[in-house]
Amino acid sequence: MTTLQVRCIARSRQAPGPATCLQLLPRGCQPVLLDSSGDVGFSTLAWAPDKSLHGHLQPNPAASGDSNRCLADSDPAQQLEDICSGEHWHFEAGLPKAGIGWLGWFGFECGHAYESFPWNPPYPDAWPDFHFGRYRHAMVWMPDGEVLLLHAQIDGGVDDRDATLQQFETLMAFGADTVAQSCSGPKLQPEINGQTFRQAVERLRQWIGEGELYQANLSHVLSGAFHEDARHLYQALRQSQPTAMSAYWEDADGRVLLSHSPERFLQVRGTELLSQPIKGTAARGQDVEEDQTIAAKLAADEKEVAELTMIVDMARNDLGRVADVGAVQVDSAGDVEAFSTLFHRTAKVRARWQPQLGLARLFAATFPPASITGAPKVRALNAISELEGRARGPYCGCLGYWIPGEHPHGDFSVLIRTATLSNQQLRLAVGAGIVWDSDPQREWDETRLKGRYLTG
């Protein structure tokens, strides 16, 4: 058993903002910013992990006669569960259980560990399929404006607070008035043309008409060169696209994730589970009156209502695979939620489970997220993998934190509205849920709308 005592070792009400502190951190320190950029909750900035876990999944032909549809050779969630097995994180009374612990992400291809669907060529630039680090210190911006410096000391280990305090004092010396730099967004172009996407939509509609599936999430990629500072770009997007589950992740090799996801995949609070799937999109209007009209239309749109209803049923089913009997409930089947440039329909599904089942069991039941696959999940995974013909990489996976123990805490977003940056190439995948009455041109237009926040 390894006990990590989490204490607040410094605090300030004169701290720079999260994006400013991110920019001030030294290169190579592998920062992770979990950012409530809509100012509706905690924002946390962690850096300098003392342990890491990352890797690539490979097909395991021994598990199946079809080498292109076999399961993966390992389970990344099980690897994370194993590496933090025996850790007990003890938090000083009154401290938030957030932004510290094991931080990172599972990419979409981690779904190969749980479901059988075709393998595509690896994501460009040798991106791993998953990446987590153990972060024992983090800054936490509280809702009341105070900033806490949390540090987890390993019982019996060397007291290593000094370096953390020194970094915090360096950041505090800049003062609360320090403003983060920003830059203009990149120029991105679709990697496929609209006709190719529309043909894929028609193919899905054919399969749906033949009764093979009800819905599938189809995506494509916008990409382009980007030579500026990714941390500066994050600040620009933070101002124009605030969401409660924004995130910035950077590894030691300079790979970057810039995420402005509005969607929660899975929150764990001991025995309580929460998922908040999103389906249904409409652009914001020019004024309050137009906004009201658009929101009312989205709320009554039969296609969008049906689409989210199917995803809610999938989320209930997924959570039901690990939940206590009769302990899954739908708090909301779909409410229209306003964001800076879009309206979305968002649902809320809760469940109660036994944490001793473990993280691997939880992810085997729920991953990949229902909202970005389709219904039924396995057939949808096969359909979109075949039609897209590419690895999704981090896109449509999940990102967040995991604090293990008898009463685990965790929170993971769905990695949509998420760009990757590596080798000065920025990629943004955008998708749409396809059902029988989908209009191919409308779906293409919806995907372009979803990329507008980044491309301008």
Side-chain angles (χ1 to χ4, degrees):
M1 174 71 72
T2 300
T3 300
L4 297 99
Q5 300 285 348
V6 182
R7 299 183 175 89
C8 177
I9 59 173
R11 59 182 70 217
S12 173
R13 290 190 176 274
Q14 298 298 319
T20 303
C21 288
L22 171 66
Q23 292 186 15
L24 295 171
L25 285 175
R27 300 293 164 175
C29 71
Q30 303 179 63
V32 181
L33 173 59
L34 304 179
D35 191 12
S36 177
S37 57
D39 296 325
V40 294
F42 300 110
S43 289
T44 64
L45 177 61
W47 65 95
D50 68 341
K51 285 187 176 183
S52 64
L53 171 70
H54 51 85
H56 296 87
L57 300 184
Q58 300 293 331
N60 180 16
S64 169
D66 186 346
S67 61
N68 191 44
R69 293 179 186 268
C70 60
L71 295 176
D73 58 353
S74 61
D75 178 346
Q78 185 65 61
Q79 291 185 50
L80 179 57
E81 183 177 328
D82 290 344
I83 198 172
C84 63
S85 176
E87 290 183 358
H88 176 67
W89 294 69
H90 182 267
F91 285 73
E92 192 176 61
L95 295 182
K97 292 184 177 181
I100 200 167
W102 288 87
L103 279 62
W105 52 272
F106 294 108
F108 182 80
E109 275 64 47
C110 290
H112 285 295
Y114 316 116
E115 306 292 357
S116 176
F117 61 99
W119 292 74
N120 281 316
Y123 197 75
D125 298 334
W127 276 76
D129 291 319
F130 59 96
H131 197 296
F132 278 82
R134 187 175 74 173
Y135 290 80
R136 294 196 293 114
H137 51 264
M139 294 173 64
V140 181
W141 282 258
M142 304 290 283
D144 66 358
E146 187 173 32
V147 178
L148 311 181
L149 177 62
L150 304 187
H151 178 76
Q153 181 65 42
I154 300 175
D155 274 6
V158 176
D159 189 339
D160 56 359
R161 290 178 297 176
D162 288 349
T164 302
L165 279 167
Q166 183 178 3
Q167 184 67 74
F168 182 76
E169 290 166 359
T170 299
L171 296 174
M172 293 307 99
F174 286 89
D177 295 333
T178 306
V179 178
Q181 298 182 54
S182 63
C183 65
S184 58
K187 302 298 182 183
L188 305 181
Q189 296 296 327
E191 293 187 350
I192 63 172
N193 58 42
Q195 181 180 359
T196 301
F197 186 84
R198 291 188 293 269
Q199 288 173 344
V201 172
E202 290 290 10
R203 185 62 172 147
L204 282 172
R205 291 186 67 250
Q206 179 183 344
W207 286 333
I208 293 169
E210 293 170 353
E212 294 190 27
L213 68 163
Y214 303 106
Q215 179 193 46
N217 182 277
L218 184 67
S219 70
H220 65 97
V221 175
L222 310 172
S223 64
F226 183 73
H227 302 286
E228 299 187 63
D229 192 317
R231 298 183 187 183
H232 295 173
L233 177 58
Y234 180 82
Q235 166 61 9
L237 297 174
R238 187 180 194 270
Q239 293 175 316
S240 63
Q241 185 77 4
T243 63
M245 303 203 77
S246 299
Y248 179 96
W249 173 92
E250 185 182 301
D251 74 359
D253 296 318
R255 299 184 187 92
V256 171
L257 285 177
L258 304 104
S259 181
H260 289 78
S261 173
E263 183 173 358
R264 170 173 280 118
F265 166 49
L266 200 58
Q267 182 186 81
V268 181
R269 295 288 181 266
T271 60
E272 303 299 318
L273 304 175
L274 170 66
S275 183
Q276 293 178 280
I278 285 176
K279 279 295 173 187
T281 304
R284 294 288 299 268
Q286 299 297 316
D287 52 41
V288 174
E289 183 176 353
E290 188 178 1
D291 263 357
Q292 291 174 342
T293 300
I294 293 170
K297 183 179 180 181
L298 181 60
D301 189 306
E302 292 185 2
K303 170 189 175 294
E304 304 291 10
V305 170
E307 194 175 338
L308 183 57
T309 298
M310 282 189 280
I311 297 304
V312 167
D313 284 343
M314 286 182 62
R316 290 174 59 194
N317 180 71
D318 287 354
L319 291 174
R321 295 165 70 183
V322 291
D324 297 343
V325 176
V328 180
Q329 66 183 54
V330 178
D331 287 358
S332 168
D335 294 319
V336 175
E337 189 173 356
F339 297 87
S340 57
T341 58
L342 301 171
F343 286 110
H344 283 304
R345 296 190 75 251
T346 305
K348 186 179 293 184
V349 184
R350 294 186 184 274
R352 187 176 65 254
W353 76 312
Q354 301 302 313
Q356 61 265 30
L357 290 174
L359 180 69
R361 283 280 298 276
L362 179 59
F363 269 72
T366 59
F367 192 89
S371 65
I372 47 71
T373 51
K377 182 182 282 190
V378 175
R379 181 63 186 97
L381 282 168
N382 278 268
I384 59 181
S385 180
E386 178 181 332
L387 291 172
E388 293 179 359
R390 57 176 175 79
R392 286 184 168 183
Y395 172 67
C396 287
C398 66
L399 179 149
Y401 70 90
W402 179 251
I403 302 172
E406 293 182 8
H407 303 282
H409 270 233
D411 209 355
F412 294 90
S413 66
V414 179
L415 281 173
I416 56 175
R417 311 291 194 281
T418 299
T420 66
L421 178 63
S422 53
N423 291 335
Q424 298 184 327
Q425 187 75 10
L426 194 142
R427 300 176 179 88
L428 174 70
V430 287
I434 310 304
V435 294
W436 164 247
D437 55 354
S438 288
D439 175 79
Q441 184 61 48
R442 179 182 172 185
E443 301 297 350
W444 172 255
D445 292 342
E446 179 180 315
T447 63
R448 300 302 303 273
L449 171 64
K450 289 175 178 176
R452 186 183 299 171
Y453 82 95
L454 182 57
T455 60

